[in-house]
Each structure stands twice: as structure tokens, then as C-alpha cells.
Amino acid sequence: VHVGYGGDASKVLIFHRAGRVMEAFDHADKIEEDVFVVWNAADGKVERSFGAGMFSLPHGLTVDRDGDLWCTDVDAQQAYRLSEDGDLQLVVGIENERSHDLGGLCRPTEVAVSNYGHFFVADGYCNSRVVRFDEFGDPVAELKLPGAVVAHSIILDDCLNTLLVADRENGRIRVVDAYDGTEQVRGRAIGFALNAE
């Protein structure tokens, strides 16, 4: 979900699976329904929808400062950049091929975008890593996260060159240098853990 779609605070962009569920196997077919919905919170109506036939299993959505949509498809093993209107601009990963190589992905979850063109894909369901790509979609680096179990969500602090990566199954946030992948110590701890207390 993204609030403020198109620069309008009343518009909400919803990226959904149209009833499809995540399974141990990958769905090879694309969802025939629209997977993006633009909802106007001011009047409570759907303004438009798009994205039919583009995704097998939608997962992460990021909107960059230019309004481009960055999405992941965990079953197609790809990450995409779309225009604000949904036109495909860039694809990374090898379609329908789970990969552990630098140029491939394996059930990617989310994208973080630098103001300088590079972008980072959390590649966590099969690989405990983040892959950094240049502005053309060429892989630049693999940032390994030893011990991570599902590197899931990702946020980039461009000013500090720092990635915050949700290590989902370990219930913690990993704080990582965005360019060399080293874990950054904050105070006495590396990252931090969340618990019920």
C-alpha cells in the first residue's frame, strides 16, 4: 500500500494478489485480474485499476521520489520498475528461474531505491542477501546477511548509506552499509530485536 499516490494525499495505491495465495511451489501463470488499485479515500471510490497479466504473485511495492513503482514478484523471481501509470520500464532477475547467482533472484520481497540511481532488492526467501543494481539494472554487488532467515522488508537511508533490512523470522532489523554490506554497530548492538515485552 502507498498513501499519497500521484502526489495526492487522498489517493491510495494498493498492490494485491487478487485472491492468489503463496504456496511452496511457484505459480507459472500470471494473474488475469488487475493487481493495482487506485482508491480515493476522499470519496471512498476506486478511481482505476491496472496490472492484469503482469504478475504471478505480487509481493513488495515501493514508490520512488519520481513516482515510479518498484515491485517484486516472488513466483516470477523478478523485480520491476514501472511508470506511475504502470508501463514496464525495467526488469531484473530471470523469469521463473530461482537463482542464487548475482544476476538472478529467488523469491525477492521488496526494493529500496537510491536517489542516485542504484536500487537494492531484498532477496530473502531463498537467499539471505540484498542485491544492489545500478540504474540500468546491472547487478553490482551481493550484500550477504549471515544468519538471516527471510530478508524481507528493506529501507534505505541515502544520507547515511545505510540499509535497514527486516530479518523476519529472527524478529530483528539488520543495519547494513549499503555499499559494502558490513553490519553497522549502533551503540552496543548490531541491529535490534523486537519482542512482545
Side-chain angles (χ1 to χ4, degrees):
V1 173
H2 174 76
V3 178
Y5 178 66
D8 184 336
S10 67
K11 291 186 184 173
V12 179
L13 178 64
I14 302 164
F15 186 44
H16 66 97
R17 297 179 180 167
R20 182 166 281 177
V21 297
M22 190 168 185
E23 306 281 353
F25 63 88
D26 297 330
H27 297 88
D29 60 318
K30 304 293 184 191
I31 296 171
E32 293 303 318
E33 300 170 46
D34 286 336
V35 295
F36 291 98
V37 175
V38 179
W39 182 65
N40 189 319
D43 64 17
K45 296 182 181 175
V46 171
E47 288 195 355
R48 68 186 186 100
S49 61
F50 58 95
M54 292 181 72
F55 296 90
S56 299
L57 192 68
H59 198 281
L61 169 67
T62 302
V63 179
D64 69 20
R65 68 182 186 167
D66 296 323
D68 290 333
L69 313 178
W70 295 80
C71 313
T72 57
D73 186 328
V74 291
D75 280 0
Q77 320 310 328
Q78 294 183 306
Y80 311 86
R81 184 180 76 211
L82 287 73
S83 70
E84 191 173 46
D85 294 324
D87 296 322
L88 186 63
Q89 297 178 335
L90 180 72
V91 180
V92 296
I94 304 163
E95 187 172 22
N96 299 325
E97 183 179 315
R98 290 185 181 196
S99 176
H100 306 287
D101 297 329
L102 183 59
L105 301 168
C106 189
R107 300 201 111 179
T109 55
E110 193 170 29
V111 179
V113 184
S114 166
N115 292 329
Y116 309 104
H118 285 209
F119 60 98
F120 302 81
V121 179
D123 192 27
Y125 276 110
C126 309
N127 297 314
S128 297
R129 67 180 184 172
V130 172
V131 180
R132 179 166 54 103
F133 294 89
D134 67 17
E135 62 271 26
F136 306 107
D138 295 320
V140 174
E142 172 185 61
L143 310 176
K144 294 186 178 187
L145 300 167
V149 182
V150 185
H152 201 263
S153 294
I154 184 171
I155 297 171
L156 172 66
D157 181 334
D158 238 353
C159 295
L160 296 175
N161 292 326
T162 300
L163 290 169
L164 302 173
V165 184
D167 182 357
R168 190 180 80 179
E169 300 305 308
N170 286 320
R172 63 183 173 172
I173 305 296
R174 306 285 287 267
V175 181
V176 180
D177 183 284
Y179 292 91
D180 68 16
T182 57
E183 295 231 31
Q184 298 181 3
V185 176
R186 298 283 191 236
R188 292 187 183 153
I190 296 177
F192 55 92
L194 305 175
N195 60 39
E197 297 175 3

